[in-house]
Amino acid sequence: MSQAVVGKKYGIEQTEVSAIQRMQRVKIARLVDDNDKKPMVGRVKGVEVTIPIVYGSISFWLGKKAAESTHKWTTYVRSATNEDLSVLVKKVVFQLHPSFEKPTRTIEAAPFELSESGWGEFEIGITIYFHPDVGEKPLELFHHLKLYADDESIPQTTKKPVVVESYDEIVLSEPMEASFGRLRNHPVARVTGNPSSPLVLPAGESSLDRKGRDTKDHALVQWFMKHSEAEDLNLLTTARQQVWAAAAKLKKELGSLENEVLRIKATTH
Amino acid sequence: MGDAKDILGLPKLGERGSTEKRKTPKDAIKKPDGIHREVYALTGGLPPIMPTLDPVSIKKRTLPSKKISWQWLPFSTSARTDNLQLYHWVRIIDDSQPSGDYAFAKYNKVVDSIRYTDEEYNQLLVDSSWSREETDRLFDMCEQFDLRFIVIADRFTPPRTVEELKHRYYSAAKAILQARAGPNDDLSDHSFFKDSYNVNHEVERKKALNIILSQSRQQDREDAEVIAEARRITEARLKAKGLEESQVSTRAALHVDTTPARLPSPAATGDISFLSVPVTVASTTSVQVTPVPTPASAPSSTPVQTSAPIPASTTPVSAPPPVGPRPPRVYLRGAWLAQQIHSVVSPAGVRTSKRVDQMLEEYGVRSKPKVPTAAVCAEHLELRRELLNLIQLQKQVQYKENELAILRENPYAEIPATPNTPKRPHRGLENERVSTRATAVGAEFEGFPSSGKPSFHIILVQ
C-alpha cells in the first residue's frame, strides 16, 4: 500500500511498482522456500564462530537450622558476556548424582540453570544440545559441585556463597549456513575468518528482541565471576620470552661447542 | 632302629648294667598289634597324633549282605527283527533277574522311510531325468542305507552325483508328504521343509570348498591378508558412515550429498565376495588401500578420492575425528587445546612431556589455562612447542659436550653415533666446564710442538 504511494510519488509506473513488489515477494518466497526445504545447504568455509561460555555452580549454606540438605545450590551454563544462549543452544541436560530424584534434568529454555538443595559434592555432567540447524553433536562437560569453601578457618555464612566457575569457548568451525546467519550478528558470538564463498543468508536475528533470556539481570549476577584472558596472556607472554631467551643462549652455546669439536678434529685428523 | 644299634654294638639309651643279658628292645618297644613292628617304627616309634584306622578293623571286610551270582542266560532285543537267540552273562541278585529290554536297544535309531505308490508316482514324481526304475532303486537304497547318500552314490548305477541323488530324493519326498498331508497337518516343522535342499547352492558351495581345499599355502596367506584389509576398510567406512548417519538424523532428510557415499560401499562388499579369485583382487585392493592413509580421516572436507570405490568426500561430515591439526566441527576450546598439546608433545616421549610440564610450573604457568580464549590457547601451545625445542637443544648441547670430553681424552677417538658416554649434569656446572676447557686447551697447546702458530687462539664465546 505504501509502496503504491511511493510509486506515485516518484512517478514510477503503477505496473512497474507492482512488478517490483511481485519480484520481491517471489524473492522472499524463494528464500523462505529454500529455508524450509533445504535448511542445511552447506557449510560456510573459512569461518569460525566462537561462543564464550561460563559454566559452574553457586552454593549457599542454609544456616545452622538447616535439616539434612545443608546447602542450596544452582548449577548453570551461561554466556560469558551474559548474553542469550538460546540462539545456539536448544537445551542443556544436567546429570546429577543418582541419589537425586530423577537425576537427569533437562532445561529447555534460557537461562540454562538448575537449582537444588543437598548436602554432598559430586560431579555434574552437563550436556549441551544445539539447535537442529546447527547440525552438531551435543557437547559434554563436567563440573565438580563445590559446597564447602577451601579455607576451613572461615566459618560458614549464609551471606556469601561458594562460587566455582569455569570458562570455556564453544567453537563452531565451518558452521552450517543457517545457523551462521543467525549467529553472526548476535552479541553472544564472535566470528573470525571470512566466508570463502558468497553467501545467500537469511538476515541475522539480532533485530529480534528476546527479553529476559539473557543473564544480565539474573538473580545471582552479583556472584558471577569475571573471566579475563589478560592474566593468562601476560603469564604466557613472559614465559615465552624467557624460554626464547634461554633457547637463544643454548643455540649459541651449541654453535661454539660445535666449533670446538670441529677444531679438535681438524687438528688431529 | 633298635636293630641298627644292636648291629653297631652301640650303647643304648638308659643302659642298665649292660653286660647282663640284654632285654631285647624289640619286646619292650613293640606296642601295636595289627601292624608290623618295623612299619610302626617308621613313624618314629610313637603312636600317631591323629587317630588313624583302628588296626583291628583292617583285617576283615564286611561281606555283602545280598547273595550275588552270575548266570549265562538267553536274551532278546527289540532292535532285532529276526528271532535270533543270543546269550550273555547276567548278574543275579538274590535269585531275581533284571527285567526290561536289552539295554542297548535304545540306540537303534531308524530313519522313517518314505515309499510311494504307483499312483503317487505317476501323479507327482514323473521327471525327465529320472526313470521309474532309478527312482525305485534310489528309494530302496535310501531305506537300506539310512539316507547315507555318499554310500548310495557310490553304489548307484548309472553313477550320479550326490547332489543329484539328494535333490531327487528330497523333492520327491516333499511332494509325497505334501500330497499326503491333510488340511490339519502342519508340515512346516518337518525338517524337509524347514531346511529345504537347494541343489544349486549345494553345488556352488562344494565347488568353492574344493577350491579352498586345493589352494596352496601361499594362496591361503594372500587370501587372509586381503580379507583382513577389506574388513578393516569396511569397518572404517562403517564407522564414518555411522558418524554421518547420526548427524543426518538430526538434520532434514533431504540431503543429496550423502547418496554417493552409499553407492561405493556395496561395491566394496562386492569385492570381498569375489575373493575366490585371489591374485588379481589383491592387486586392486592394494591400490585402494594406499590412498586412504588413515581411513578414519578420509571423510573430511578436502576432496580426497582417487579410485571410485572410496566414498566421495563431498559429503560434509560434521564430526571428523580430531586427529592432527584438523579441528572437529564443534568443540570446547579447552578440550581441543588438550588434544593439540597431546599430539604435539607426545611424540617426544613421556619423559619429555613430563619435563615440559615441570618447566611450565617453574614459569608459573598452569598446564591448563584458566581462560582458554583463542589467543591464550595459541600462546600456550606455542609455549609448549618452544619448551620442547628448548629441551631438545639442551640435549644437543649435552651431547656435544660429551663429544668434546671424549675428544679431549683421546683426540683420535671415534665418536660413536649414539651417546653412550656417562652423562654429565649440565646445570650449574658452567664454571667447571670453562675451567676444564681452559686446562685441556693448555695441555693440547703444549703437546703440539708443530703448531707453532702464535695466532692459534681459542676464543671462548659464551
Side-chain angles (χ1 to χ4, degrees), chain A residues 150-263:
Chain A
D150 281 330
D151 190 358
E152 300 200 10
S153 61
I154 302 175
Q156 296 198 71
T157 159
T158 50
K159 299 266 168 38
K160 275 195 89 181
V162 173
V163 180
V164 179
E165 284 192 342
S166 311
Y167 175 97
D168 216 327
E169 299 187 338
I170 301 179
V171 182
L172 297 168
S173 99
E174 303 192 347
M176 305 296 299
E177 275 184 18
S179 52
F180 181 61
R182 266 214 319 259
L183 290 168
R184 64 183 169 145
N185 288 326
H186 200 279
V188 81
R190 209 166 51 224
V191 176
T192 45
N194 284 311
S196 54
S197 52
L199 300 172
V200 178
L201 295 175
E205 276 188 1
S206 54
S207 48
L208 284 180
D209 227 0
R210 286 179 180 269
K211 281 240 157 73
R213 303 278 199 102
D214 56 28
T215 45
K216 290 193 181 124
D217 292 318
H218 197 266
L220 299 168
V221 72
Q222 52 174 319
W223 304 116
F224 289 166
M225 288 163 50
K226 296 254 178 296
H227 300 269
S228 139
E229 52 176 9
E231 179 200 336
D232 270 334
L233 262 183
N234 285 337
L235 262 180
L236 283 172
T237 33
T238 37
R240 276 189 72 187
Q241 282 169 350
Q242 290 173 345
V243 169
W244 195 85
K249 205 168 79 149
L250 275 183
K251 267 196 212 135
K252 266 202 208 160
E253 208 181 296
L254 194 64
S256 68
L257 282 177
E258 182 65 35
N259 289 339
E260 256 304 283
V261 169
L262 286 176
R263 185 196 65 85

Side-chain angles (χ1 to χ4, degrees), chain B residues 310-322:
Chain B
I310 296 176
S313 44
T314 50
T315 58
V317 177
S318 47

